[in-house]
Amino acid sequence: MKKKFLSIINKISSFIVIFAILILWQILSATGIVPKFMLPSPVDVVMAFIGDFPLLMQHAATTLTEAFLGLMIGTLLGFAIAVIMDYYPIAYKSVYPLMVLTQTVPTVAIAPLLVLWMGYGLLPKVTLIVLTTFFPIAIGLLDGFHTVDPDSINLLKAMGANRLQVFTHIKLPSSLSHFFAGLKISVSYSVVAAVISEWLGGFYGLGVYMTRVRKSYSFDKMFAVIFFISLISLLLMLGVTLLKDAVMPWDRSKKTERKNQI
Amino acid sequence: MDKLIAKNITVSYEGANIIEDISIELNKGEIVCLLGVSGVGKTTLFNVISGLLNPDEGIVELDGRNITGKAGNVSYMLQKDMLMPYKTIIDNVSLPLVIRGEKKSKARDITAKYFQEFGLEGTEKKYPFQLSGGMRQRAALLRTYLFSDQVALLDEPFSALDSITKSVMHEWYLQVMKQIRLSTLLITHDIDEAIILSDRIYVMAGKPGRIKEEVIIDEPKPRDKDFKVSESFIKYKRHILSILM
């Protein structure tokens, strides 16, 4: 009985912490220790969210479209780059350092340039998202390709397999978990990159909404949209986990097996 | 296949010979052991015969055909089962057929027939991690057999198993071999295993590794548990130990 109780506590401990912070925040705000115009209370934030719900949804649709397009293209690009680099070692040697270099340039710094070059439409936003999302995918896959057991590859070669067969039967499937780890990062990047690109110009999107409420000092709405964005990221990451479980049944069953043993 | 011959094989690495002037042959349906301590070059020879490594000198012939440095003619199996964790057992086992260009469903049909014979029935749709070590080695052996039903090279296939499972696997192996008559070259450092399983034993020793002696185990098969404690078993073992030490 006591053990069961402890395991429940263990499971919901993180929720308890979050809940405690929210209560503390509400008290600080409601008693006026922190002035309301600087920090709205959680209740205010929820009210703002409900009040602006239709508008938020409309903007979210734009942001999600951008994120989705950018993520799709970024994933395909990352995949292609990883495969090419794996197939041609010379490509790996020559392009890999450049690829790492592109990632040291802060997103916020290239976003205005992209707007100048490509205007206020969808294009600069999607481009920025592609630039930020392809990297984790490419790195993840490359890592996966390189850590494949050489004995397995030898075995397949001894069976007379060609490079394509080695790729489809060994390299790709054994890199899937690396791929999904990369995708999880890319998914959250895609939303963040979409919002950042919208700050700099555009007519719709959560980033645009954010800029507007900031200019009108509506802190409650500001917080509402921030939480909304992280909620979207969380849900998308959960989606990736579900996708992974569906695509890699052996991995999931391994986990349940382990749980049963414990 | 009638005969696998390796003639005068020498392999060097960074100027020093690892194995020197090794000649062995394997006749149809035979189980032949290559016995020696770790590091004597058993696996190097193995890689030469499987075609993964080109020897400095010597040739490998299968039925009179030169297969030196050509992979895909003889199948092999290692100590680690190398079953792909992401494939079910039946897909793992039928992999050689798929590689050869067979359709997946057809390959499964062909493979499924052997599951009973190899004591694997019921594991078709399971993943490797759900099987015990012994069962995984059975699956790996079936895959090896489907890769080539002519000749198989087994590199310490049972050495990762505990000694009881190992004995069970020996009996199982001799049982299966009686039916499928797969010519087998088995590499091991376990003297008991060599005596129990083989028709002939090549004892390897020295640096660079050479064949010291060919020991013929003239005993009926399958050999039961009593053979392991019999007078003649001890005699073979004493003789082999005297060569090795």
Side-chain angles (χ1 to χ4, degrees), chain B residues 38-244:
Chain B
S38 304
V40 79
K42 301 189 298 280
T43 300
T44 306
L45 180 62
F46 176 95
N47 284 336
V48 169
I49 296 173
S50 62
L52 293 172
L53 182 71
N54 246 321
D56 294 70
E57 278 169 51
I59 57 166
V60 184
E61 274 178 8
L62 182 66
D63 293 342
R65 207 155 41 90
N66 187 349
I67 57 160
T68 319
K70 285 182 205 139
N73 290 293
V74 297
S75 55
Y76 69 84
M77 171 177 160
L78 305 182
Q79 177 184 333
K80 45 180 180 178
D81 53 65
M82 291 198 298
L83 297 171
M84 319 292 163
Y86 40 83
K87 285 182 192 281
T88 55
I89 296 300
I90 191 146
D91 283 342
N92 258 299
V93 170
S94 58
L95 190 60
L97 305 176
V98 174
I99 296 291
R100 229 176 282 151
E102 201 73 69
K103 277 224 172 69
K104 214 173 174 179
S105 54
K106 180 93 188 294
R108 277 184 192 158
D109 287 345
I110 298 172
T111 312
K113 289 176 203 147
Y114 293 99
F115 269 67
Q116 179 95 41
E117 201 172 343
F118 276 71
L120 280 164
E121 61 274 28
T123 62
E124 287 87 343
K125 295 214 170 78
K126 290 194 170 166
Y127 286 102
F129 72 88
Q130 295 169 304
L131 265 57
S132 66
M135 289 303 262
R136 282 209 293 268
Q137 285 307 80
R138 289 180 193 208
L141 187 77
L142 177 52
R143 180 182 60 190
T144 309
Y145 176 63
L146 289 169
F147 169 3
S148 160
D149 55 5
Q150 296 195 312
V151 51
L153 307 181
L154 310 184
D155 190 353
E156 308 197 350
F158 309 126
S159 62
L161 305 172
D162 64 85
S163 66
I164 295 168
T165 309
K166 204 167 170 177
S167 299
V168 173
M169 289 296 285
H170 288 156
E171 268 182 51
W172 166 83
Y173 185 72
L174 289 172
Q175 199 62 42
V176 171
M177 280 305 120
K178 227 172 73 182
Q179 288 164 29
I180 62 176
R181 304 283 292 160
L182 179 67
S183 316
T184 308
L185 182 63
L186 186 110
I187 290 180
T188 184
H189 54 235
D190 181 336
I191 300 174
D192 292 16
E193 180 172 272
I195 299 171
I196 290 165
L197 295 179
S198 11
D199 299 303
R200 283 185 292 126
I201 301 174
Y202 288 107
V203 183
M204 251 178 110
K207 211 162 186 96
R210 286 169 168 280
I211 303 286
K212 287 286 166 196
E213 197 177 316
E214 182 186 339
V215 180
I216 294 167
I217 311 289
D218 192 14
E219 297 288 329
K221 277 207 240 179
R223 295 158 187 163
D224 53 17
K225 290 179 207 77
D226 294 339
F227 175 63
K228 253 178 128 169
V229 289
S230 67
E231 198 64 45
S232 53
F233 180 93
I234 305 288
K235 218 175 69 200
Y236 286 122
K237 189 166 178 175
R238 189 177 291 132
H239 178 61
I240 291 170
L241 278 170
S242 74
I243 304 168
L244 285 171

